[in-house]
Amino acid sequence: MGQKLLELRNFVLAIANGNLDFRVTSRGYLSGALKTLQAHLRHLTWQAQRVASGDYSQRVDFMGEFSEAFNAMVEKLDATVRALRESEARYREMAITDPLTGLHNRRHFFSLAQKEMARALRYGLQIACIMLDLDHFKAVNDTHGHDAGDRVLAMTAHLLKNSLRSVDIAARYGGEEFVVLLPESGRAGAMILAERIRRDLAASQVTINGKNISVTASLGVSHQAPDGEKTANMQHKVEDLVKAADEALYKAKKAGRNQVQNS
């Protein structure tokens, strides 16, 4: 009897010190109860490890008030982590998106465009670029106010989104200027798309305080043939493509605006 009590005493001390591997050889009601407690604590330890690894589905139902506290803690952790992930996703989206138009911002455009340029050079694919600038946009702001100008910019972005393929990359380049990268597109296809965008935009209107506001745009198109240097600096290649489209845009402006020119 004395040996059994000593074993149970040592068992209780082991549990109290966090040792859940102590084995009890004696039998009886008290031994059984302590073994059940040990099994519960082992399972609870495993569940805590699962929670630590990100599994917030764990729940305890065998330890009374402790179960309630544990489950409440896990639910709170789950809600906190989900909120943090949602916040992180929002901030990540804000870092790459123009808040007014919902298009990519200029920095993210170049990041995506460099990857597409590398793919085009690696596999010998064509790639094209369109630059778009709203004609006389300052007059819209001066005459109708900046809210009207913002509405025009948002309308232009909406039109671009509806005109492009899912693989195309559109961004607000700055001010009233937009840029579009067209992977696996030749010059002819890019010119057709640019002309359709020009025509659709000229036919669109924004209504402010009962007044209809119409705008036009000048567009420039550039094109990268599939025979470029595969070891080229991707940033420079993208910058050259955008620059060529911008020069074509300038030609459209000089020629009278509301038209498409190519490099």
Side-chain angles (χ1 to χ4, degrees):
M1 185 65 177
Q3 185 65 31
K4 178 179 179 180
L5 290 175
L6 179 62
E7 183 184 49
L8 293 177
R9 173 182 176 278
N10 291 337
F11 180 52
V12 172
L13 288 175
I15 292 178
N17 290 323
N19 178 9
L20 301 180
D21 295 324
F22 194 96
R23 294 179 61 83
V24 173
T25 59
S26 59
R27 297 182 179 181
Y29 175 80
L30 183 57
S31 298
L34 290 174
K35 289 178 182 178
T36 298
L37 174 63
Q38 182 187 53
H40 285 167
L41 290 174
R42 280 177 175 169
H43 188 68
L44 180 62
T45 299
W46 177 84
Q47 288 184 291
Q49 292 172 340
R50 294 297 303 165
V51 171
S53 69
D55 178 5
Y56 302 111
S57 66
Q58 298 299 317
R59 296 293 184 272
V60 174
D61 60 3
F62 49 77
M63 297 188 72
E65 293 182 2
F66 178 84
S67 297
E68 296 178 5
F70 180 90
N71 294 340
M73 177 194 70
V74 174
E75 289 171 4
K76 182 66 174 179
L77 281 172
D78 187 21
T80 301
V81 169
R82 281 190 283 108
L84 286 173
R85 286 174 178 166
E86 291 171 1
S87 177
E88 180 185 5
R90 285 196 301 271
Y91 283 122
R92 187 164 53 245
E93 186 67 19
M94 289 170 59
I96 64 175
T97 303
D98 174 65
L100 175 61
T101 63
L103 298 177
H104 297 307
N105 60 27
R106 179 171 177 165
R107 182 172 60 85
H108 192 55
F109 168 81
F110 275 100
S111 175
L112 296 175
Q114 288 175 39
K115 296 176 183 177
E116 284 298 332
M117 179 64 75
R119 190 173 70 89
L121 295 179
R122 184 181 304 117
Y123 297 109
L125 304 172
Q126 300 184 90
I127 191 167
C129 179
I130 298 174
M131 291 291 290
L132 179 154
D133 186 84
L134 296 175
D135 298 326
H136 305 297
F137 182 72
K138 184 177 183 300
V140 174
N141 283 328
D142 291 345
T143 304
H144 303 284
H146 288 280
D147 287 345
D150 288 349
R151 289 274 300 276
V152 169
L153 292 171
M155 177 189 71
T156 304
H158 182 72
L159 186 149
L160 284 175
K161 292 175 185 176
N162 289 340
S163 301
L164 303 177
R165 304 168 300 173
S166 60
V167 297
D168 298 331
I169 303 169
R172 185 181 180 190
Y173 199 69
E176 65 272 23
E177 197 169 18
F178 298 82
V179 61
V180 179
L181 190 78
L182 306 171
E184 300 184 40
S185 292
R187 186 187 304 276
M191 289 290 291
I192 292 172
L193 173 61
E195 175 58 27
R196 185 168 73 246
I197 291 171
R198 184 206 64 78
R199 185 180 62 247
D200 290 347
L201 183 60
S204 301
Q205 292 181 332
V206 169
T207 302
I208 299 290
N209 297 326
K211 297 181 180 179
N212 294 327
I213 303 172
S214 299
V215 294
T216 62
S218 301
L219 298 93
V221 172
S222 63
H223 169 249
Q224 165 71 54
D227 55 356
E229 181 186 352
K230 293 180 173 56
T231 58
N233 183 297
M234 294 306 124
Q235 179 178 344
H236 292 165
K237 294 293 290 184
V238 172
E239 289 173 351
D240 289 345
L241 187 68
V242 172
K243 181 180 178 182
D246 198 42
E247 290 172 350
L249 168 62
Y250 182 69
K251 284 167 53 179
K253 291 285 189 183
K254 286 190 67 176
R257 295 181 170 84
N258 190 25
Q259 59 184 273
V260 178
Q261 294 282 346
N262 65 81
S263 59

